[in-house]
Amino acid sequence: SNPNLKGLQHIGVAVTNVKESTAKFRDLFRIEARGLRTDQHYGTQLDMMIEPGNDRLWFHLVESTDPENRVTQFMAKHGEGLEHLCIEVDDIRRAVKTVKKAGVPLFMHKIFLDRDDGFEAFVYPEYNHGVTVELIEPYITSRGYRYKVEDF
């Protein structure tokens, strides 16, 4: 019913140690993680991608070393576990307008324009049942990008 909404892109899991967490997924479910990134959020975040076999949906394991990072703040309150749901949109500005129109503030009151995966905005967990919602308008080069016919 929302033409701007592309779908659920990934599920973010906050962890204290991304390498140990990926080993658990491998040992328990025989799912290999890939794409260790050490340069996220100016080098203060490690993350891995785990694709459990869905067409597009993937797990995003996140370890933060910055006390100001929203993941660190989330873990201080809730510990390890489900931290965010990422919803892919066609137009981040339109999605943000919808959120603001509902009276809900964004994390740091902005759209992040300098991220590697696309334009991002975050809805605080207090406004969505304890789970942060990430809105993303991905770049065509982003992992998880949903290709369109006109891309080819």
Side-chain angles (χ1 to χ4, degrees):
S1 64
N2 180 346
N4 193 35
L5 186 73
K6 303 290 284 182
L8 188 60
Q9 185 194 66
H10 67 262
I11 298 170
V13 181
V15 299
T16 55
N17 186 306
V18 75
K19 290 184 181 179
E20 287 177 9
S21 297
T22 58
K24 285 181 185 179
F25 272 88
R26 183 190 63 240
D27 295 345
L28 289 173
F29 308 111
R30 302 212 187 273
I31 302 172
E32 291 292 333
R34 66 179 181 89
L36 174 64
R37 298 190 304 183
T38 60
D39 60 347
Q40 296 299 289
H41 300 266
Y42 313 106
T44 64
Q45 181 174 302
L46 301 175
D47 66 36
M48 288 287 272
M49 178 183 203
I50 296 177
E51 296 176 287
N54 299 40
D55 182 30
R56 291 186 169 89
L57 183 63
W58 46 281
F59 294 118
H60 180 206
L61 300 182
V62 182
E63 173 189 338
S64 175
T65 59
D66 178 3
E68 299 300 315
N69 183 289
R70 66 178 177 73
V71 174
T72 304
Q73 294 170 4
F74 178 90
M75 286 185 62
K77 290 181 184 176
H78 307 286
E80 289 186 301
L82 174 63
E83 186 272 325
H84 72 274
L85 299 174
C86 180
I87 298 173
E88 185 177 332
V89 296
D90 265 335
D91 183 339
I92 191 78
R93 288 168 182 80
R94 188 167 21 149
V96 165
K97 283 180 187 175
T98 301
V99 169
K100 286 184 174 182
K101 192 174 183 180
V104 175
L106 296 175
F107 177 71
M108 296 181 69
H109 306 286
K110 69 180 193 174
I111 297 172
F112 292 88
L113 304 174
D114 61 347
R115 300 288 171 87
D116 291 335
D117 290 326
F119 304 119
E120 302 173 358
F122 297 87
V123 176
Y124 287 102
E126 299 84 63
Y127 295 92
N128 195 51
H129 310 289
V131 178
T132 301
V133 173
E134 174 184 358
L135 299 169
I136 188 167
E137 179 185 333
Y139 305 130
I140 193 169
T141 56
S142 302
R143 64 183 182 182
Y145 177 79
R146 295 170 191 261
Y147 292 97
K148 302 172 195 149
V149 173
E150 58 267 20
D151 291 339
F152 295 100

